[in-house]
Amino acid sequence: MSQIEALRQVPLFSELNSKQLEAVLRVSHIKDFPKDSVLCSEGDRGDALFLVLSGRVRAVLSADDGREVILAYLGPGEIVGEMALFDPEERRTATVVTAEPCSLLILSGKPFMELLAQNPPMALSIIRTLTRRLKETSNRIANLIFLDTYSRVGTHLLKMAQQEGRRLADGSYLITRPPQHEIAHFIGSSRETVSRALKELEHEGLIKVVGKKVILYRLKP
Amino acid sequence: MSQIEALRQVPLFSELNSKQLEAVLRVSHIKDFPKDSVLCSEGDRGDALFLVLSGRVRAVLSADDGREVILAYLGPGEIVGEMALFDPEERRTATVVTAEPCSLLILSGKPFMELLAQNPPMALSIIRTLTRRLKETSNRIANLIFLDTYSRVGTHLLKMAQQEGRRLADGSYLITRPPQHEIAHFIGSSRETVSRALKELEHEGLIKVVGKKVILYRLKP
DNA sequence: TTGAAAGCGTGATCACCGTCACAACATGCC
DNA sequence: GGCATGTTGTGACGGTGATCACGCTTTCAA
């Protein structure tokens, strides 16, 4: 059955046998979402857990006045909505929206927790995921504090490149550029400043914008 | 034996029986540190893991030019140094220093991992810890982006109060104030601005500085 | 007690960048 | 095609907050 096959690809489930995978499918279902679907909203109750099979989602936090920060992009293999599950206070701590058409595995919290308690490798996998995210988030704090907006734009492009882009023959990267305001929301800046920063980066020969693509010439890691 | 008793207090180990606790002690030891001891430095190798029994440590990241951010304070029950363990790339991602005299349980990585793989409740406990930290870190990103320096000082004082301070009869909090430059390093600001912000907060009647103590008059959460 | 070291208050300066305001494009939909 | 809607470039302005430069306290060890 193809759904089982799909699950087998997911690192989180890699240690499960067919029987266990079937158990997973019994307490979950796979669903496809178009771009910009809201999966859950900050403050909601709800213990559903999402696992990204394909596509990417973004976690967003908004201020009272409407401003927004993008907390993270989460791609294939990542779990989303785990906070409300693992933390005693079960409220959504962020709004999650599909950034592209996505295929998601939707799990109910309780059964998932039981599964987890019986599968140490799964728990370890989650621990690794959380650790990596924590590291990334900590790094972002450092970037916000140490770097000016221009450098943050550069750093962000580079990070995008590393986790998504294709590396070209000469060691440079090629990525498809998101709209400026999205970059701005991620790095905590304004659309205009991002525009100027991109120009500046291009001026210095660090990037080249071609249509909707950007080439990064070996920005240092 | 008193060491066993000490471990039993730790939530992480609460589900272990005496036999398992002894096993923990066989692969670990308890050590006391004076204030300002460096436990590990950014970039180091090393898979030792610390568990804070008493006191508080801080995790710090520094820029090339010497500036610093305090990534987190970690108190009793918290694990420190887990990143280097759970993440394939085993380098210290931050410098960790005792903020007070501390008593720490020092574990070696490998045996700890084995222990973890055999004790799902322990793994779940770690997952909860990481989740809470991730949430806090994400919130800090939002604060850095949404709030001006003055509000960040206020928010930070309040957070300190909630997790450390004593609540007074009238609902206000009493905390012992860290040096201004330490606040600055935490909120990503300068010592001078913190000084002015404290003054301003006092002016508005939100706080009162008395010697080394600060009273917070019901700052909103 | 005295000196050094650490912490604090405050003024002056000025750059970075958010905001406002447009105009020029691009895109897609009817 | 033509009109709405989203995206981008760029100028001007002004505020927040970093930085420098002090002098004044407090702490604490010798």
Side-chain angles (χ1 to χ4, degrees):
Chain A
M1 188 179 213
S2 83
Q3 293 208 325
I4 293 268
E5 287 315 309
L7 292 200
R8 222 187 281 282
Q9 311 299 329
V10 179
L12 178 60
F13 297 137
S14 62
E15 305 267 350
L16 302 189
N17 57 39
S18 299
K19 204 163 190 125
Q20 292 170 312
L21 286 176
E22 277 166 27
V24 170
L25 276 179
R26 265 197 300 280
V27 296
S28 68
H29 62 281
I30 295 178
K31 193 169 170 197
D32 294 332
F33 292 87
K35 185 169 142 85
D36 291 324
S37 313
V38 178
L39 302 180
C40 65
S41 299
E42 197 182 340
D44 281 3
R45 283 194 181 286
D47 72 340
L49 198 77
F50 305 89
L51 194 144
V52 181
L53 297 176
S54 74
R56 280 175 338 130
V57 305
R58 60 167 174 268
V60 177
L61 226 58
S62 17
D64 317 326
D65 60 6
R67 285 178 300 160
E68 298 193 337
V69 213
I70 298 176
L71 287 179
Y73 289 97
L74 302 170
E78 299 271 4
I79 44 169
V80 185
E82 76 291 349
M83 300 243 190
L85 189 56
F86 300 143
D87 215 30
E89 138 120 32
E90 38 189 299
R91 293 264 179 179
R92 297 302 184 186
T93 54
T95 299
V96 180
V97 183
T98 55
E100 320 167 354
C102 283
S103 174
L104 303 178
L105 180 75
I106 306 181
L107 302 119
S108 325
K110 294 262 161 52
F112 179 74
M113 284 301 272
E114 284 159 23
L115 209 71
L116 202 58
Q118 287 156 23
N119 289 278
M122 241 175 98
L124 287 184
S125 170
I126 296 224
I127 287 177
R128 269 189 295 274
T129 302
L130 290 175
T131 301
R132 192 168 21 75
R133 279 204 223 165
L134 189 54
K135 194 194 281 189
E136 254 162 44
T137 315
S138 301
N139 259 317
R140 265 183 83 187
I141 289 185
N143 284 347
L144 278 169
I145 290 177
F146 291 146
L147 272 40
D148 64 16
T149 311
Y150 283 43
S151 317
R152 295 212 302 278
V153 172
T155 308
H156 181 229
L157 289 180
L158 186 59
K159 198 168 55 183
M160 285 183 54
Q162 284 167 341
Q163 62 188 37
E164 165 216 2
R166 291 256 52 94
R167 174 173 242 138
L168 301 184
D170 62 347
S172 51
Y173 286 98
L174 180 65
I175 62 177
T176 95
R177 169 177 60 96
Q180 295 177 350
H181 64 82
E182 205 174 311
I183 300 181
H185 284 160
F186 192 89
I187 66 167
S189 167
S190 71
R191 208 266 311 157
E192 293 87 334
T193 304
V194 169
S195 174
R196 292 186 245 259
L198 288 172
K199 193 110 171 295
E200 177 74 13
L201 288 171
E202 188 155 16
H203 229 92
E204 294 175 4
L206 294 173
I207 69 173
K208 184 150 210 267
V209 181
V210 186
K212 292 196 128 19
K213 301 285 182 182
V214 182
I215 307 172
L216 311 196
Y217 297 110
R218 193 175 325 96
L219 286 174
K220 61 172 161 299
Chain B
M1 185 180 216
S2 83
Q3 292 207 326
I4 292 269
E5 287 314 309
L7 292 200
R8 221 185 282 281
Q9 311 299 329
V10 179
L12 178 60
F13 297 137
S14 62
E15 306 266 350
L16 302 188
N17 57 39
S18 301
K19 203 159 192 132
Q20 293 170 311
L21 285 176
E22 278 166 27
V24 170
L25 275 179
R26 267 197 299 280
V27 296
S28 67
H29 61 283
I30 296 178
K31 193 170 172 197
D32 294 332
F33 293 86
K35 185 170 141 84
D36 291 325
S37 313
V38 177
L39 302 180
C40 64
S41 299
E42 197 181 338
D44 281 3
R45 283 192 181 287
D47 72 339
L49 198 77
F50 305 90
L51 195 143
V52 181
L53 297 175
S54 73
R56 280 173 340 128
V57 304
R58 60 165 173 269
V60 176
L61 226 59
S62 16
D64 317 326
D65 60 7
R67 285 178 301 160
E68 297 192 338
V69 216
I70 298 176
L71 286 179
Y73 290 99
L74 301 171
E78 298 270 4
I79 45 170
V80 185
E82 76 290 350
M83 300 242 190
L85 189 56
F86 300 141
D87 215 29
E89 138 120 33
E90 39 189 298
R91 294 263 179 180
R92 297 301 184 185
T93 53
T95 299
V96 180
V97 183
T98 54
E100 320 167 354
C102 283
S103 175
L104 304 178
L105 180 74
I106 306 180
L107 302 120
S108 324
K110 293 262 162 52
F112 178 74
M113 284 300 272
E114 284 159 23
L115 209 72
L116 202 59
Q118 286 154 24
N119 289 277
M122 241 176 98
L124 287 184
S125 171
I126 296 222
I127 287 177
R128 269 188 296 272
T129 302
L130 290 175
T131 301
R132 191 167 22 73
R133 279 205 223 164
L134 189 54
K135 195 195 282 190
E136 255 162 43
T137 315
S138 300
N139 257 317
R140 264 184 84 189
I141 289 186
N143 283 348
L144 279 169
I145 290 178
F146 291 147
L147 272 38
D148 63 19
T149 310
Y150 282 43
S151 317
R152 294 212 302 278
V153 172
T155 309
H156 181 227
L157 289 179
L158 186 60
K159 199 168 55 184
M160 286 183 54
Q162 284 167 341
Q163 64 187 36
E164 166 216 3
R166 289 257 50 98
R167 173 174 243 139
L168 302 183
D170 62 346
S172 51
Y173 287 98
L174 180 64
I175 61 176
T176 96
R177 169 178 58 97
Q180 295 178 351
H181 62 81
E182 205 174 310
I183 300 181
H185 285 161
F186 192 89
I187 66 166
S189 167
S190 71
R191 208 265 312 154
E192 293 89 332
T193 303
V194 170
S195 174
R196 292 186 245 258
L198 288 172
K199 192 111 170 296
E200 177 73 12
L201 288 171
E202 188 155 17
H203 228 93
E204 294 175 4
L206 295 173
I207 69 172
K208 184 150 211 264
V209 181
V210 185
K212 291 197 128 20
K213 301 286 179 181
V214 182
I215 308 172
L216 312 198
Y217 297 111
R218 193 175 326 98
L219 286 174
K220 59 172 162 298

